[in-house]
Amino acid sequence: MEIVKEKAIQAWLKKYCAQRGYKFIKLNPSMYNGMPDREIMTTFGTTVYLELKSEGKPLRPLQENWGEWLLKNKHRYRVIDRIDSENVDEIIAFIEQGNPNYVKVK
Protein backbone atom coordinates (compact mmCIF):
# COMPACT_ATOMS: atom_id res chain seq x y z
CA MET A 1 0.00 0.00 0.00
CA GLU A 2 1.35 3.41 -0.97
CA ILE A 3 1.88 5.97 1.80
CA VAL A 4 -0.12 9.17 1.25
CA LYS A 5 2.17 12.20 1.30
CA GLU A 6 1.23 15.50 2.90
CA LYS A 7 1.56 17.26 -0.49
CA ALA A 8 -1.06 14.96 -2.03
CA ILE A 9 -3.50 15.75 0.79
CA GLN A 10 -2.77 19.45 0.39
CA ALA A 11 -3.36 19.31 -3.38
CA TRP A 12 -6.71 17.55 -2.95
CA LEU A 13 -7.88 20.05 -0.32
CA LYS A 14 -6.73 23.01 -2.40
CA LYS A 15 -8.74 21.78 -5.39
CA TYR A 16 -11.79 21.00 -3.24
CA CYS A 17 -11.73 24.49 -1.70
CA ALA A 18 -11.16 26.27 -5.03
CA GLN A 19 -14.17 24.50 -6.57
CA ARG A 20 -16.37 25.87 -3.78
CA GLY A 21 -14.92 29.37 -3.51
CA TYR A 22 -13.38 28.68 -0.09
CA LYS A 23 -10.04 30.17 0.99
CA PHE A 24 -7.37 27.54 1.64
CA ILE A 25 -4.70 29.37 3.60
CA LYS A 26 -1.24 28.21 4.58
CA LEU A 27 -0.59 29.46 8.09
CA ASN A 28 2.84 30.80 9.03
CA PRO A 29 3.91 29.15 12.28
CA SER A 30 7.14 31.16 12.63
CA MET A 31 5.87 32.91 15.77
CA TYR A 32 3.81 30.00 17.12
CA ASN A 33 5.53 26.66 16.80
CA GLY A 34 3.12 23.77 16.36
CA MET A 35 0.16 25.77 15.05
CA PRO A 36 -1.89 23.99 12.35
CA ASP A 37 -0.65 23.97 8.75
CA ARG A 38 -3.81 25.13 7.06
CA GLU A 39 -6.95 27.11 7.56
CA ILE A 40 -10.09 26.87 5.45
CA MET A 41 -12.41 29.87 5.40
CA THR A 42 -15.75 28.84 3.93
CA THR A 43 -18.37 30.93 2.16
CA PHE A 44 -20.86 30.19 4.96
CA GLY A 45 -18.84 31.73 7.81
CA THR A 46 -17.00 28.72 9.21
CA THR A 47 -13.25 28.48 9.73
CA VAL A 48 -11.59 25.06 9.92
CA TYR A 49 -8.03 24.44 11.12
CA LEU A 50 -6.20 21.45 9.66
CA GLU A 51 -2.96 19.74 10.58
CA LEU A 52 -1.76 17.81 7.53
CA LYS A 53 0.60 14.88 8.06
CA SER A 54 2.03 12.20 5.84
CA GLU A 55 0.28 8.92 6.60
CA GLY A 56 1.58 7.38 9.81
CA LYS A 57 3.55 10.45 10.93
CA PRO A 58 2.82 11.40 14.56
CA LEU A 59 2.06 14.88 15.81
CA ARG A 60 4.84 16.71 17.60
CA PRO A 61 4.06 17.69 21.22
CA LEU A 62 3.53 21.36 20.30
CA GLN A 63 1.13 20.32 17.54
CA GLU A 64 -0.80 18.22 20.05
CA ASN A 65 -0.95 21.21 22.42
CA TRP A 66 -2.33 23.47 19.66
CA GLY A 67 -4.95 20.91 18.69
CA GLU A 68 -6.07 20.49 22.29
CA TRP A 69 -6.29 24.28 22.76
CA LEU A 70 -8.31 24.76 19.57
CA LEU A 71 -10.79 22.02 20.48
CA LYS A 72 -11.09 23.17 24.10
CA ASN A 73 -11.95 26.66 22.86
CA LYS A 74 -14.60 25.40 20.41
CA HIS A 75 -12.61 25.83 17.20
CA ARG A 76 -13.02 23.32 14.36
CA TYR A 77 -9.77 21.33 14.14
CA ARG A 78 -8.75 18.08 12.57
CA VAL A 79 -5.63 16.12 11.75
CA ILE A 80 -5.64 14.61 8.26
CA ASP A 81 -3.02 12.03 7.33
CA ARG A 82 -4.75 10.42 4.36
CA ILE A 83 -7.50 10.98 1.85
CA ASP A 84 -8.93 7.89 0.20
CA SER A 85 -12.24 6.31 -0.69
CA GLU A 86 -12.76 5.22 2.92
CA ASN A 87 -12.53 8.64 4.57
CA VAL A 88 -13.13 11.28 1.89
CA ASP A 89 -16.85 11.59 2.69
CA GLU A 90 -16.07 12.06 6.38
CA ILE A 91 -13.53 14.81 5.60
CA ILE A 92 -15.98 16.59 3.30
CA ALA A 93 -18.72 16.38 5.94
CA PHE A 94 -16.33 17.85 8.52
CA ILE A 95 -15.46 20.80 6.28
CA GLU A 96 -19.09 21.34 5.25
CA GLN A 97 -20.53 21.15 8.78
CA GLY A 98 -22.81 24.16 9.17
CA ASN A 99 -23.24 24.73 5.43
CA PRO A 100 -26.97 25.21 4.86
CA ASN A 101 -26.58 24.19 1.19
CA TYR A 102 -24.59 20.98 1.78
CA VAL A 103 -26.36 17.76 0.95
CA LYS A 104 -24.49 14.58 1.79
CA VAL A 105 -24.45 12.20 -1.16
CA LYS A 106 -25.15 8.63 -0.09
Side-chain angles (χ1 to χ4, degrees):
M1 178 178 209
E2 184 178 333
I3 299 291
V4 177
K5 300 288 186 190
E6 186 175 332
K7 286 188 182 246
I9 297 168
Q10 178 180 304
W12 184 88
L13 287 165
K14 183 177 181 179
K15 181 179 176 183
Y16 180 86
C17 290
Q19 290 172 340
R20 285 150 184 82
Y22 302 167
K23 299 293 185 187
F24 185 60
I25 301 165
K26 179 175 178 144
L27 298 174
N28 182 353
S30 62
M31 292 182 62
Y32 299 104
N33 287 330
M35 74 183 304
D37 299 315
R38 298 288 174 165
E39 173 182 54
I40 296 174
M41 297 173 74
T42 68
T43 56
F44 53 93
T46 297
T47 301
V48 178
Y49 296 94
L50 301 174
E51 183 63 54
L52 308 181
K53 302 299 276 184
S54 292
E55 190 171 0
K57 296 276 183 168
L59 292 175
R60 297 186 324 267
L62 286 174
Q63 291 173 320
E64 289 179 5
N65 291 344
W66 263 101
E68 290 168 5
W69 185 90
L70 288 165
L71 292 171
K72 180 178 90 176
N73 290 286
K74 310 288 190 257
H75 294 278
R76 306 229 9 259
Y77 167 79
R78 181 167 181 148
V79 177
I80 300 176
D81 70 350
R82 65 184 177 85
I83 290 186
D84 57 30
S85 61
E86 293 178 16
N87 74 343
V88 70
D89 290 338
E90 182 183 328
I91 291 168
I92 290 170
F94 179 78
I95 294 169
E96 298 296 340
Q97 185 179 339
N99 182 348
N101 299 314
Y102 173 65
V103 177
K104 183 176 180 179
V105 178
K106 296 180 181 180

